[in-house]
Amino acid sequence: MENDDINLVVNATNTNAVTGGNVLDEGRVGTNGLQTKGIHVWFGKHHVLEDISLDFPANSVTGLIGPSGCGKSTFLRVLNRMHEFIPGAAMAGEVFLDGEEIYGPKVDVTAMRLKVGMVFQKPNPFPSMTIAENVLAGLKLANIKVQDKDSLLEECLTRAGLWKEVKDRLKLSGSSLSGGQQQRLCIARALAVKPKVLLMDEPCSALDPASTLKVEETIVQLSADMTIVVVTHNMQQAARVSDFCAFFLSDGGPGQVVEADRTAVIFSSPSDQRTADYVQGRFG
Amino acid sequence: MSDSTSSSILQEVQPQKPWVNRRQSVRELARPVGIAVLAASVIVLVTGLAGPLGFYLAFIVSFIVVSFIDGMRHDKVKAIDKVMTTLVTAGFATAFIPWASILFTVFQRGASAIYLGYFTHDMAYTSADDELGMGGLSHALVGSLLILLMASVIAIPFGVVTALYITEIKGKLSGVVRVIIQSMSGVPSIVAGLFVYAVVVSRYSFSGIAGALALSILMLPTVARTSEEVLKLVPDDLRSSAYALGASQMATTFRIVLPTARSGLITASMLGLARVAGETAPLILTAYYSAVYSLKITGQPLASLPMYIFQNFSTGTDTALTRAWGGAAVLLSFIFILFIIARVVGRGSRK
Amino acid sequence: MSIATVEKPTAAEPPRRSITNQRNASDKRFRAVVTSGAMFAFVVLALIAGFLLFRGYEVFREFGFGFLTSSTWDSGTGESLQGASYGVAAMLVGSIIVALMAMIIALPFVIGTSLFLEYYIGKKIRAVLVSILDLMAAIPSIIYGLWGYLVLMPHAAGWASTINKYFGWIPIFKVDVKNFDASPFISALVLGLMIIPIASSVTREVYSRAPQDQISAAYALGGSRWGALKAVVLPFGRSGLIGGMLLGLGRALGETVAVLLTLNLVFKVKFQVLASAGGNVASLIASRFGEAGPSEIKALMAAGLVLFTLTLLVNFGASIIVSRSAKVSQ
């Protein structure tokens, strides 16, 4: 773990911190966790992300922060190849998951997505399924046979912090829950296929403060044995849940990583003035 | 910020689409297609299946089997996905085969009936059995145009007004009117014919007017529903700003709403016309058929393209059937032209 | 301005002014004209029902419920209903059999076409194919009938013969005489083909409104394309599919010419769908109309009323289901 931590510390000798290219240590590529190397994304002619190289150490929480429209959500979708559904999308660079390049020609996309779970901005349980069916939907989709469905169900719902609230109404429709409960149901659904990485796209932006707190607790607990990447607009949330932070910014051109470091460093002594301005709420 | 300089220093990065691999997908498709073609050939040779359709069926079945086996090299999920892709694509492609056959037959067989005089002669002195170089369908073409024109005169104003009631007046009965229009669009065309027969024909006689009445009943719901869609697209801001200028609702509707939606309303009318131009059943009971060129819309039967086809089909001899195909080709071209006008005008309105 | 003058109303609420929206005379006239114009459709529909009832009333009085349960069609002397015998049972059953078979034949193609257009190809090709589909929906039924009789029937009779050879032990595939021309099966093929574009356009519309975020969720869980469609789109679009198919059913029940040209009308209730004998109310009206005397015209009016009622019910059901699915998706 100590080694992993060092890799995210900005190399002070590199003066060109703007591209963020120094954040990823080349030596780390291909080891545990998730690394991106020189990621660019285009939508048609529009260049939306430029040269993002980041390291997400295993069993850590990384917050992606920055103003709207700087490409954080797009970057998140690059990590599980969900952006390629958008017509006109193109990219460059590499993403390594546990040593395997996920854009390689031999990669089975659906099998890769099983290892990378995702939670969306708006809770989106399948309305045609019950709560229990929702949790186990991923297994059904991937045709994975499980010996003991009930215990898996309980385990996932417990880890998502929802078990106590729904254990008596597992047969009800997923859409009968409140917004916060639905979002935790979606987390449980993502957990059921035992992913190594969990991507969360502003998971609390549609929730009330109490539900937000519960989801945040869940994130912290999950990070004990998962790599979590969470996009957030909420500075306090980033400070509360993340171990590392990457600050994205677009000056009208493609989005770039201005600075990536331990969360404490980003919030207390960032090396870039724009980061300081942003985390103190002076813009964005 | 120095991103322009930094990117010029860096090696130029090219956009790629790693998820699109043409060569690989072609290779992945070519092998099962090849195997399926082979299997289908064997099936056609061995079993009773024959002809292009038999081969097509054998090919689809073999392709399903091959794609399942191909997918199973990964896992069951992949196999099912591949089989479903094949089934969905085949479902779509198979539906297109008969349509292609219809278009091909209509124009191929129809072509032998059509010559220049086809559009200037009628069948007054030509019987359906006579050689193809004689007679024509001028009477049917003109009759159809007359009937459609009269039907439009009734159906388009009432259709647009019905749509205006729903979008502009927003009366209490809007919901009811919408349901009525929906029900009306489901009235069987023969029933519309029966109704006009009972009301008009049984008292007076077969006539072009009676045919137009029957068609207008069938046309009204299409015009009303499409117009409603179009009028809904007129932004409410336009109405509000007209009211703010002190305009009455009538002035707003006539000066602002209708002109804004004009091209859409033309599209609605064309679609309504295309819907009824080929109706045959109601005309059997109302306008009936006459072999003679005539512009008289009352007191006597009036020919039309669908009835021309129907009559020649009923005669049933080879030349008569060829004439029926010729009529079908003309009718289909006419409907396609209406459709293209609707599309072109409609596209203009969206810009 | 002094503050003291501002008095708060303590106990009594201020009297409310009603907003009067006095329209000027020309607007009143305008609204009256448009409203009465919109009632035209209502009047026409009522007139249709009224006239058919008025003209067919005698028939229902004469034969009562027997008009629906008997299959004999004998005009007797042709002048009066006395001595004649009319019943639409065979035609009604035939109409329903042909329409239901058309549904069954069309269903897989409707699902395939809708899914293919919405989820298996790109936007540009979709736009072209959808236009073609709209165009196919506009092909007149007489052309479908012409093609069905002259082009399809020689093939389809062969298919029917094959089905009869291998599945003849199933009662509905049995035939008494080995003539497979002009059977309900062939009519149903033609009608099925006619309703594919109509039902597909409704179904595709509803499928396209399936929530994108749920489709994304299915993909993110490692689902294949079919997995996502099965988990999200198909359940979401079920009512749209039912509505679209019911719309097609209404069309198939009321279709006249395409059936008239491809079906051999026989006044006997039959369930042998491959045999060259069937019934159809709409075709009955069109085929008997030419030679009908006064009494038979009345009977045909009554038959029209039966058909009108049947299609009205089916279309009513379809529109309710489609509008409900539209509400759910919003």
Side-chain angles (χ1 to χ4, degrees):
Chain A
M1 277 301 276
E2 287 109 310
N3 269 341
D4 293 343
D5 298 354
I6 293 163
N7 289 317
L8 259 156
V9 175
V10 177
N11 184 346
T13 56
N14 190 327
T15 49
N16 185 14
V18 174
T19 60
N22 56 338
V23 176
L24 175 76
D25 182 342
E26 291 282 337
R28 281 266 307 143
V29 165
T31 57
N32 274 353
L34 188 65
Q35 298 92 30
T36 72
K37 193 176 151 194
I39 293 291
H40 292 249
V41 173
W42 292 263
F43 290 134
K45 292 250 178 295
H46 190 48
H47 196 172
V48 288
L49 278 177
E50 185 175 21
D51 201 17
I52 313 290
S53 297
L54 286 174
D55 185 359
F56 305 94
N59 307 338
S60 68
V61 180
T62 306
L64 307 183
I65 58 172
S68 304
C70 61
K72 307 181 299 290
S73 292
T74 303
F75 178 69
L76 199 72
R77 281 172 168 73
V78 169
L79 300 180
N80 69 342
R81 294 186 58 169
M82 289 290 285
H83 73 302
E84 62 195 49
F85 289 115
I86 299 163
M91 57 95 68
E94 293 160 305
V95 178
F96 295 92
L97 174 63
D98 285 347
E100 200 189 0
E101 215 276 289
I102 66 168
Y103 284 89
K106 295 254 187 275
V107 168
D108 181 351
V109 189
T110 52
M112 181 276 292
R113 289 202 189 106
L114 279 177
K115 289 190 226 158
V116 186
M118 187 162 189
V119 176
F120 296 80
Q121 190 169 358
K122 225 179 85 204
N124 53 3
F126 299 127
S128 59
M129 301 181 188
T130 65
I131 293 172
E133 283 168 349
N134 258 291
V135 175
L136 302 172
L139 301 171
K140 211 173 151 199
L141 281 167
N143 196 35
I144 298 170
K145 298 274 183 295
V146 184
Q147 292 293 320
D148 192 354
K149 279 189 180 167
D150 290 343
S151 68
L152 178 72
L153 188 64
E154 183 174 347
E155 183 202 325
C156 294
L157 284 168
T158 309
R159 287 177 77 193
L162 193 62
W163 175 248
K164 280 184 201 139
E165 291 159 64
V166 301
K167 66 180 177 202
D168 299 323
R169 41 181 175 152
L170 294 171
K171 292 274 184 293
L172 289 182
S173 163
S175 42
S176 66
L177 298 173
S178 74
Q181 289 172 325
Q182 285 189 16
Q183 191 64 303
R184 278 177 284 146
L185 176 62
C186 292
I187 295 176
R189 181 176 68 184
L191 294 178
V193 293
K194 313 250 173 194
K196 302 214 165 117
V197 178
L198 191 60
L199 308 176
M200 306 179 102
D201 187 2
E202 299 183 41
C204 303
S205 67
L207 306 185
D208 61 275
S211 305
T212 300
L213 216 60
K214 287 212 150 173
V215 172
E216 286 179 8
E217 278 171 28
T218 307
I219 294 174
V220 173
Q221 280 160 15
L222 291 176
S223 67
D225 51 4
M226 297 180 98
T227 311
I228 296 178
V229 185
V230 50
V231 170
T232 177
H233 272 132
N234 183 332
M235 285 306 107
Q236 285 81 23
Q237 181 170 66
R240 282 195 296 262
V241 302
S242 69
D243 304 318
F244 305 100
C245 267
F247 174 50
F248 281 63
L249 189 63
S250 150
D251 61 348
Q256 295 169 314
V257 172
V258 173
E259 191 170 355
D261 212 323
R262 300 194 68 91
T263 302
V265 177
I266 292 280
F267 278 86
S268 57
S269 52
S271 55
D272 194 292
Q273 186 55 42
R274 288 168 295 173
T275 314
D277 289 347
Y278 184 75
V279 297
Q280 286 160 22
R282 268 179 234 143
F283 75 96
Chain B
M1 204 146 114
S2 60
D3 68 83
S4 58
T5 50
S6 68
S7 60
S8 63
I9 295 164
L10 286 168
Q11 198 183 340
E12 193 64 43
V13 188
Q14 287 303 318
Q16 299 155 10
K17 298 191 175 188
W19 51 90
V20 183
N21 189 338
R22 282 262 153 69
R23 199 180 295 170
Q24 192 186 338
S25 29
V26 166
R27 213 182 314 134
E28 269 178 14
L29 198 63
R31 196 173 34 202
V33 167
I35 297 172
V37 165
L38 222 67
S41 316
V42 172
I43 293 173
V44 168
L45 285 177
V46 172
T47 66
L49 284 172
L53 280 179
F55 183 81
Y56 178 76
L57 189 69
F59 173 74
I60 296 289
V61 172
S62 343
F63 197 83
I64 290 168
V65 174
V66 171
S67 47
F68 182 78
I69 296 169
D70 191 34
M72 275 315 268
R73 293 187 307 159
H74 279 270
D75 54 18
K76 204 172 151 197
V77 175
K78 196 112 194 166
I80 292 172
D81 186 45
K82 282 197 175 223
V83 168
M84 290 320 293
T85 302
T86 310
L87 279 177
V88 165
T89 313
F92 172 78
T94 311
F96 263 80
I97 292 175
W99 288 326
S101 163
I102 290 175
L103 295 185
F104 177 78
T105 328
V106 164
F107 288 108
Q108 188 233 355
R109 297 210 192 163
S112 38
I114 295 173
Y115 70 109
L116 202 60
Y118 198 56
F119 298 97
T120 54
H121 292 84
D122 61 11
M123 298 295 280
Y125 306 105
T126 316
S127 98
D129 286 343
D130 284 344
E131 285 170 52
L132 289 171
M134 301 164 70
L137 45 52
S138 65
H139 59 304
L141 195 57
V142 165
S144 259
L145 289 175
L146 279 175
I147 292 174
L148 289 175
L149 188 71
M150 289 186 286
S152 307
V153 168
I154 304 165
I156 294 175
F158 276 110
V160 173
V161 161
T162 307
L164 282 178
Y165 178 75
I166 295 172
T167 63
E168 306 302 310
I169 305 281
K170 295 190 172 78
K172 282 183 201 124
L173 296 174
S174 293
V176 178
V177 169
R178 209 179 274 137
V179 171
I180 295 286
I181 290 293
Q182 184 79 38
S183 315
M184 211 170 155
S185 71
V187 170
S189 55
I190 189 92
V191 169
L194 263 183
F195 166 65
V196 174
Y197 176 86
V199 178
V200 181
V201 179
S202 64
R203 284 180 208 176
Y204 306 101
S205 71
F206 288 121
S207 66
I209 283 244
L213 283 174
L215 292 194
S216 65
I217 293 174
L218 302 169
M219 189 172 164
L220 176 77
T222 314
V223 176
R225 271 199 316 198
T226 325
S227 302
E228 187 199 332
E229 297 293 318
V230 171
L231 290 172
K232 268 191 200 149
L233 292 180
V234 176
D236 256 341
D237 290 359
L238 285 183
R239 295 186 183 95
S240 308
S241 35
Y243 290 142
L245 288 170
S248 67
Q249 188 170 27
M250 185 162 96
T252 307
T253 305
F254 281 108
R255 296 269 165 81
I256 308 289
V257 178
L258 288 178
T260 310
R262 193 181 56 206
S263 53
L265 294 174
I266 295 174
T267 300
S269 310
M270 292 297 144
L271 290 179
L273 271 176
R275 155 98 170 76
V276 298
E279 281 293 353
T280 317
L283 296 180
I284 300 176
L285 278 63
T286 53
Y288 204 61
Y289 180 71
S290 133
V292 188
Y293 179 93
S294 162
L295 295 175
K296 198 155 175 278
I297 53 171
T298 54
Q300 63 183 47
L302 187 63
S304 59
L305 284 172
M307 283 303 289
Y308 171 85
I309 301 171
F310 186 68
Q311 283 294 322
N312 279 295
F313 175 83
S314 307
T315 307
T317 57
D318 276 351
T319 43
L321 288 181
T322 307
R323 285 199 163 88
W325 286 114
V330 174
L331 177 60
L332 210 51
S333 311
F334 179 68
I335 289 172
F336 284 0
I337 289 169
L338 286 176
F339 236 84
I340 292 166
I341 294 174
R343 272 294 140 101
V344 170
V345 174
R347 197 166 302 151
S349 76
R350 242 168 276 141
K351 270 174 191 167
Chain C
M1 199 163 94
S2 84
I3 302 159
T5 55
V6 180
E7 276 185 11
K8 272 191 183 172
T10 45
E13 253 185 66
R16 292 191 186 176
R17 295 183 57 181
S18 62
I19 298 170
T20 50
N21 191 355
Q22 200 65 47
R23 297 181 189 276
N24 64 29
S26 77
D27 258 8
K28 275 185 189 161
R29 226 177 302 132
F30 167 71
R31 290 173 70 89
V33 167
V34 172
T35 306
S36 43
M39 293 307 123
F40 180 72
F42 182 73
V43 170
V44 168
L45 211 61
L47 278 179
I48 292 177
F51 259 90
L52 293 181
L53 201 61
F54 171 63
R55 288 298 180 95
Y57 167 70
E58 268 184 78
V59 178
F60 281 109
R61 198 186 50 189
E62 185 75 27
F63 304 108
F65 211 61
F67 186 68
L68 295 178
T69 54
S70 141
S71 291
T72 41
W73 194 271
D74 178 10
S75 51
T77 58
E79 284 306 311
S80 80
L81 288 172
Q82 265 76 39
S85 173
Y86 297 115
V88 287
M91 299 296 119
L92 201 55
V93 169
S95 278
I96 294 169
I97 288 178
V98 171
L100 285 182
M101 274 173 71
M103 287 293 97
I104 294 168
I105 292 166
L107 182 65
F109 298 104
V110 170
I111 298 174
T113 304
S114 311
L115 286 180
F116 182 81
L117 289 175
E118 214 46 59
Y119 293 103
Y120 284 81
I121 42 159
K123 231 179 177 172
K124 279 181 192 157
I125 309 172
R126 181 191 309 154
V128 175
L129 292 178
V130 167
S131 305
I132 294 178
L133 207 65
D134 287 347
L135 219 55
M136 294 306 113
I139 294 180
S141 53
I142 185 146
I143 293 181
Y144 275 104
L146 200 61
W147 176 85
Y149 183 80
L150 293 171
V151 181
L152 178 70
M153 198 183 287
H155 290 285
W159 306 338
S161 157
T162 312
I163 296 173
N164 174 254
K165 196 166 138 197
Y166 295 106
F167 299 99
W169 47 273
I170 303 173
I172 58 164
F173 294 138
K174 229 167 73 181
V175 291
D176 297 329
V177 185
K178 290 233 180 271
N179 179 3
F180 300 102
D181 281 342
S183 64
F185 169 68
I186 293 172
S187 282
L189 279 179
V190 175
L191 286 189
L193 194 59
M194 281 179 67
I195 59 183
I196 289 172
I198 299 165
S200 301
S201 77
V202 176
T203 310
R204 190 186 64 81
E205 186 74 37
V206 177
Y207 279 173
S208 74
R209 280 186 263 133
Q212 193 56 49
D213 58 336
Q214 286 171 26
I215 297 173
S216 299
Y219 276 123
L221 282 169
S224 61
R225 171 154 52 188
W226 174 248
L229 295 181
K230 201 176 137 200
V232 180
V233 177
L234 291 184
F236 175 86
R238 191 174 298 141
S239 58
L241 178 66
I242 295 172
M245 291 306 287
L246 278 181
L247 222 59
L249 181 67
R251 186 76 186 267
L253 280 172
E255 178 51 44
T256 311
V257 186
V259 178
L260 185 63
L261 268 54
T262 54
L263 186 66
N264 182 20
L265 288 184
V266 171
F267 290 97
K268 195 173 171 209
V269 177
K270 285 200 160 200
F271 295 96
Q272 300 180 348
V273 297
L274 300 179
S276 178
N280 189 275
V281 180
S283 303
L284 168 83
I285 298 170
S287 68
R288 302 295 299 184
F289 182 78
E291 305 99 67
S295 88
E296 193 170 357
I297 291 281
K298 283 177 190 152
L300 292 177
M301 292 286 171
L305 184 66
V306 170
L307 183 63
F308 178 64
T309 315
L310 188 64
T311 49
L312 210 59
L313 287 177
V314 170
N315 278 297
F316 214 64
S319 65
I320 288 172
I321 290 173
V322 171
S323 69
R324 191 180 298 159
S325 79
K327 251 174 232 157
V328 167
S329 69
Q330 270 159 17

